[in-house]
Every structure is written in structure tokens, then in C-alpha cells.
């Protein structure tokens, strides 16, 4: 099965690449990397690499089985315990693939006859989980609280009129920071509606974990929401902790249920131990060096938004001022989405070949019928320098002027 095309897939044949950090080596030459969501630079830290190397020497490379059989190693349990303590929840559970985390968690709790109200700008993994659950799924306009309330009312009224057994479970599903446009979800307002209409909620913190909140716990902490008010929290280990995989946090009941019902947990080989060991050290580094890392990231986010705001009249910048992900949307009347993708890809190709800058076009799965518009995706990290950002903005401005005037 092909990987979902949520974002550009850089294969070895397409783009030989190594030493992925703020600078990486592509086709034998160093380039500035604004394509990777390594927000706090954990992949570049020596202590994280040393921990991974020691784990390989101790455990070998793979785990050789699912968690419920013989794939559970002590570092899995250690990382789960540390994540739960950091997120202030009862327990956490690890998944070996971040895109499969929400796609496994949602069907574990929702089934035919249940109801899900999902932000239409959520990533493909979340939407796939909604589809696999076979629940009644309604999508609301991104960050539109009026539309969300309308959808919640409809489901409540339909439940009253149906005459059949009351719907058992009703969920709202959102991301902390939206993967399609970098917007910060209005989680404070959503929580008010969630409690007003008696829904449960799943919040995916993949892009906000380690980025938002005083201690980096994500959008919930940013809005001052106690973790106990959120039934399910999911997130990726790749964006902030520099590892691979994902995790889900919640009460003991929420986590224990997934150990028997989460298909990505039960039927996939567990996370390789060296990646769990890397996650343990990265999480400790986040806690010990939080202020310096997060402050540097915020400074770079502000610099990116300042320098990329007026790149070209046809390129519109989107993304919240607190988001490390920004998107440049091509706005050209009479141009179809496929042609826009070609133009944007041409910009990326020219940046790489002429200016040694790596950017990607934000792409979507063909299965996603409610995806956003084509755009350039720009990921800034704490490892970038202000000079990296200004050089990239100046180069992009020159290339966009050349390509978009054709």
C-alpha cells in the first residue's frame, strides 16, 4: 500500500539526503533545511544520538513483535511513564507510527451508531480514523464555532428524534495546531461547546506538543485547560522529540482499552527500542532546557513571519503567529490546483538547485476530499539562525518573482 500523500515523500532515489537538521546534505552538498518539523532540534543533539546508539548495542535494532506478545521492552514502559507524568495524565500508550496513532485511537472508541464532529482541516490520519470507525461523521468549517455548534445541535436533535437507543458516544476531534494551514485551533471555545452539548473530545497535539504552553504541553496548556477535561490526547514523537512514532494520553481506562482495541498497537511491531530510548532523553532535554529551546523557537517563528509576510503579491502567508509551521498559498485566478502544484514545485526545485534551500509543497492524499489548497510548507526550528531565515526569504522572493512572472 502506498503511503498517504499528506506531504511530499522524499525517497532515496528522488533525493539522496543525510544529516537531517537545520542543515542537511542533499546530493552531496549542504542545504538549508526548512522542510523538516524538527522543532526543537532534538535530532541534532548529541545526547539523543548517544542514547539511541547505546540502545542498539543493548537491544539490537528492532523489537521483533507487537507489544502484547514479545515486543515490550523496558524503555517502552519508561517512555510511557515519563510522557504521562509530563502531560499530567494517568497513563500513556506508544504507537510505532505517528500517522496511525489517531487512526487507531478513534476506531477503538467509536463504532457504527456513534457520532464524530471533526474539523475539516484535520490531517489525513485523523480523517482516516473517523472513516474506519464507521461512525456518523460530520465535518465543521475550520475554526468556525458557529458551524461547529450547528453540527453539535444537529446530532443532539437527531438523537432525540430517532426513537432508537441513544447514541452511546459523541466525539469532537481537532488538532492543536492545524497541519493544513498552521492555524491555532480555538480550543477554549471548543471546550465550552463540548461541555455544553455533552460531547467527548480528542485533541491531536502533534504540532503543538513542545511548542505551545508554558512548559510545552501543547494547546491545552496554552489555553489553561486542565488535562482532566480532555478525554483523549494524541501526538507525534517526531516533531518535537526527534524520534518516530506517536503516543496517546488519558485516564487508565482510556489507555488500557487501547492495549486490546488499538489496531496499530495490537497488530504492529512495537517501536524499535532505540527510538524509545531517544524519546526518553529528548523528553528529559525538553524539561531541562525548556526555556532556552522554546524561547529560541519563538524568536525564529517571529522572524519567519516578519521576513516571509510579503514574499510575492501572489503568495499569501498563513499560520498562527505562534506556529512553527507556515504556509505560502498561491493565489492566481483561473489557475487550477494541479497547475498551482506544478508552479510551487518549480519554486522548490529552483530553490534547491540554485540557492541550496530545501522546501516542499504541501500535498494531500487523494482519499482526502476536504483538503486545503496547494501551498509551500515552511517549518522553522530552534536550530535555525536569523541569517538562515533572511537568506531563505530573500532567495524565495527572487525565485518566486522569476517563476510566477512566466
Amino acid at each position: 500500500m502506498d503511503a498517504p500523500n499528506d506531504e511530499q515523500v522524499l525517497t532515496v532515489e528522488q533525493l539522496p539526503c543525510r544529516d537531517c537538521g537545520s542543515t542537511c546534505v542533499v546530493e552531496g552538498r549542504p542545504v538549508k533545511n526548512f522542510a523538516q518539523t524538527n522543532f526543537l532540534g532534538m535530532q541534532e543533539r548529541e545526547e539523543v544520538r548517544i542514547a539511541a546508539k547505546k540502545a542498539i548495542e543493548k537491544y539490537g535494532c528492532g523489537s521483533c513483535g507487537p507489544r502484547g506478545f514479545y515486543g515490550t521492552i523496558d524503555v517502552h514502559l519508561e517512555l510511557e511513564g515519563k510522557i504521562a507524568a509530563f502531560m499530567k495524565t494517568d497513563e500513556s500508550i506508544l504507537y510505532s507510527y505517528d500517522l496511525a496513532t489517531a487512526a487507531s485511537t478513534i476506531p477503538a472508541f467509536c463504532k457504527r451508531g456513534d457520532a464524530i464532529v471533526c474539523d475539516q482541516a484535520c490531517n489525513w490520519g485523523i480523517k482516516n480514523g473517523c472513516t474506519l470507525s464507521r461512525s456518523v461523521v460530520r465535518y465543521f468549517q475550520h475554526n468556525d464555532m458557529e458551524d461547529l455548534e450547528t453540527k453539535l445541535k444537529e446530532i443532539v436533535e437527531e438523537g432525540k428524534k430517532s426513537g432508537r437507543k441513544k447514541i452511546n458516544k459523541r466525539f469532537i476531534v481537532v488538532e492543536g495546531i492545524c497541519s493544513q494551514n498552521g492555524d491555532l485551533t480555538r480550543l477554549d471555545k471548543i471546550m465550552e461547546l463540548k461541555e455544553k452539548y455533552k460531547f467527548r473530545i480528542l485533541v491531536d497535539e502533534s504540532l503543538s506538543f513542545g511548542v505551545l504552553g508554558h512548559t510545552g504541553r501543547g494547546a491545552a496548556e496554552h489555553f489553561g485547560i486542565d488535562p482532566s477535561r480532555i478525554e483523549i490526547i494524541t501526538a507525534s514523537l517526531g516533531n518535537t522529540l526527534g524520534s518516530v512514532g506517536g503516543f496517546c494520553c488519558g485516564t487508565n481506562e482510556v489507555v488500557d482499552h487501547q492495549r486490546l482495541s488499538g489496531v496499530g498497537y495490537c497488530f504492529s511491531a512495537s517501536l524499535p527500542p532505540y527510538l524509545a530510548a531517544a524519546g526518553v532523553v529528548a523528553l528529559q532535554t525538553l524539561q531541562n532546557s525548556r526555556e532556552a529551546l522554546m524561547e529560541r523557537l519563538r524568536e525564529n517563528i517571529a522572524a519567519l513571519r516578519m521576513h516571509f509576510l510579503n514574499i510575492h503579491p501572489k503568495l499569501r502567508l498563513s499560520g498562527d503567529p505562534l506556529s512553527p509551521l507556515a504556509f505560502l498559498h498561491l493565489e492566481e485566478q483561473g489557475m487550477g490546483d494541479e497547475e498551482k502544484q506544478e508552479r510551487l514545485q518549480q519554486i522548490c526545485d529552483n530553490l534547491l538547485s540554485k540557492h541550496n534551500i530545501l522546501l516542499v509543497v504541501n500535498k494531500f492524499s487523494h482519499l482526502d476530499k476536504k483538503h486545503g489548497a496547494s501551498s509551500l510548507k515552511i517549518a522553522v526550528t530552534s536550530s535555525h539562525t536569523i541569517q538562515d531565515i533572511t537568506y531563505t526569504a530573500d532567495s524565495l522572493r527572487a525565485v518566486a518573482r522569476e517563476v510566477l512572472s512566466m
Side-chain angles (χ1 to χ4, degrees), residues 48 89 110 150 166 186 223-224 227 245 342 344 348 375 394:
V48 176
T89 60
C110 298
T150 298
K166 184 179 178 181
R186 297 166 60 186
F223 286 106
E342 292 176 358
L344 292 172
C348 290
S375 59
D394 292 341

Side-chain angles (χ1 to χ4, degrees), residues 73-268:
I73 311 296
D74 56 356
V75 287
H76 293 134
L77 302 176
E78 182 183 3
L79 180 55
E80 287 176 340
K82 289 184 179 298
I83 289 173
F86 179 76
M87 297 297 288
K88 295 186 175 181
T89 60
D90 292 348
E91 283 190 65
S92 75
I93 181 172
L94 293 177
Y95 286 85
S96 52
Y97 183 29
D98 54 0
L99 194 65
T101 302
S104 297
T105 301
I106 293 171
F109 292 96
C110 298
K111 62 183 185 305
R112 192 184 302 275
D114 294 332
I116 299 172
V117 181
C118 181
D119 189 328
Q120 72 172 20
C122 280
N123 66 63
W124 184 86
I126 289 174
K127 292 177 180 175
N128 191 35
C130 292
T131 301
L132 293 173
S133 73
R134 298 180 295 175
S135 302
V136 175
V137 183
R138 304 281 171 82
Y139 290 98
F140 68 95
Q141 298 292 322
H142 173 60
N143 257 352
D144 187 333
M145 296 303 105
E146 290 185 7
D147 190 42
L148 171 58
E149 185 164 18
T150 298
K151 297 294 190 298
L152 300 180
K153 283 181 179 178
E154 288 176 357
I155 289 174
V156 170
E157 291 302 315
E158 287 172 8
K160 290 179 180 179
K161 295 177 181 178
S162 64
R164 56 183 173 82
K165 183 180 177 181
K166 184 179 178 181
I167 290 177
N168 292 325
K169 292 182 286 293
R170 299 182 295 201
F171 271 90
I172 299 171
V173 180
V174 295
E175 293 178 289
I177 291 177
C178 179
S179 58
Q180 287 194 17
N181 52 32
D183 286 347
L184 176 58
T185 298
R186 297 166 60 186
L187 196 55
D188 53 340
K189 302 296 183 184
I190 291 174
M191 290 300 295
E192 291 176 6
L193 294 174
K194 171 246 185 195
E195 290 167 354
K196 178 180 178 180
Y197 292 97
K198 296 180 173 57
F199 274 64
R200 296 179 174 94
I201 190 167
L202 183 151
V203 180
D204 187 89
E205 298 270 23
S206 290
L207 296 173
S208 45
F209 173 65
V211 173
L212 296 180
H214 177 66
T215 62
R217 292 187 179 94
E221 185 182 40
H222 173 76
F223 286 106
I225 299 168
D226 191 281
S228 63
R229 295 173 59 196
I230 300 175
E231 283 77 13
I232 302 174
I233 298 171
T234 59
S236 169
L237 293 170
N239 298 327
T240 292
L241 298 186
S243 186
V244 173
F247 65 86
C248 176
C249 294
T251 63
N252 295 322
E253 292 80 6
V254 163
V255 171
D256 288 346
H257 179 69
Q258 291 177 75
R259 297 197 191 278
L260 294 176
S261 303
V263 293
Y265 179 91
C266 296
F267 301 109
S268 295

